[in-house]
Amino acid sequence: MSPKDIVAQFISDIHAQRFDEAKTLLAEDGFEYVGPNMRFLSRDDMLAYQFGMAAIQKDLVLRQLSADGEHVFAILDYRTHFEPIGDVRLAVWFRVRDDKIHTMETFYNAAVVENMLGGNLPTAG
């Protein structure tokens, strides 16, 4: 599969809350997730966080997906059932090597999520 196809499948799996399937698309070693207010160095930790957010996920809308070699860029609307958050627009930069997602860097308005969680955001080092 192309890097773009791998990312499209990952987004589809997260949307459908198929976390075990999504996990197979992430690098087991050397994975890194960086967001504006959290960082994970383990695919298991990142997916555990995603699983925790599944209860408030109403929809995940892929607005744009483009690729430049191993770099894949996605624009998403993360729609929630949780009024204090509402909908969050995400920009995600994926780096894919050897048919696995190695790096995800997410950009969004972190203040909204941080306020919801009372400033208690997960970090991993």
Side-chain angles (χ1 to χ4, degrees):
M1 285 197 313
S2 73
K4 186 176 178 180
D5 292 337
I6 290 167
V7 169
Q9 184 61 54
F10 176 79
I11 292 169
S12 176
D13 288 342
I14 293 295
H15 177 253
Q17 299 181 8
R18 294 185 304 257
F19 298 106
D20 288 338
E21 289 88 345
K23 180 179 177 176
T24 66
L25 299 170
L26 302 175
E28 187 172 346
D29 296 315
F31 174 79
E32 181 179 27
Y33 171 92
V34 178
N37 51 10
M38 64 189 74
R39 181 174 182 226
F40 299 105
L41 298 177
S42 157
R43 67 184 186 169
D44 292 322
D45 292 344
M46 191 274 294
L47 286 171
Y49 176 76
Q50 288 295 323
F51 179 78
M53 296 295 286
I56 67 166
Q57 178 182 313
K58 183 188 320 181
D59 200 3
L60 185 62
V61 178
L62 178 61
R63 298 180 63 206
Q64 176 70 39
L65 187 65
S66 59
D68 181 7
E70 70 178 16
H71 302 273
V72 181
F73 306 91
I75 305 297
L76 304 153
D77 286 332
Y78 185 82
R79 298 186 179 156
T80 75
H81 295 287
F82 193 69
E83 286 301 316
I85 292 181
D87 298 339
V88 178
R89 182 154 298 142
L90 308 169
V92 188
W93 175 17
F94 297 86
R95 287 182 289 284
V96 180
R97 287 190 319 274
D98 302 322
D99 295 326
K100 298 290 182 183
I101 298 168
H102 284 260
T103 306
M104 295 174 59
E105 193 164 349
T106 305
F107 305 88
Y108 57 89
N109 181 354
V112 175
V113 177
E114 193 167 314
N115 289 337
M116 176 200 72
L117 298 174
N120 298 319
L121 292 168
T123 58

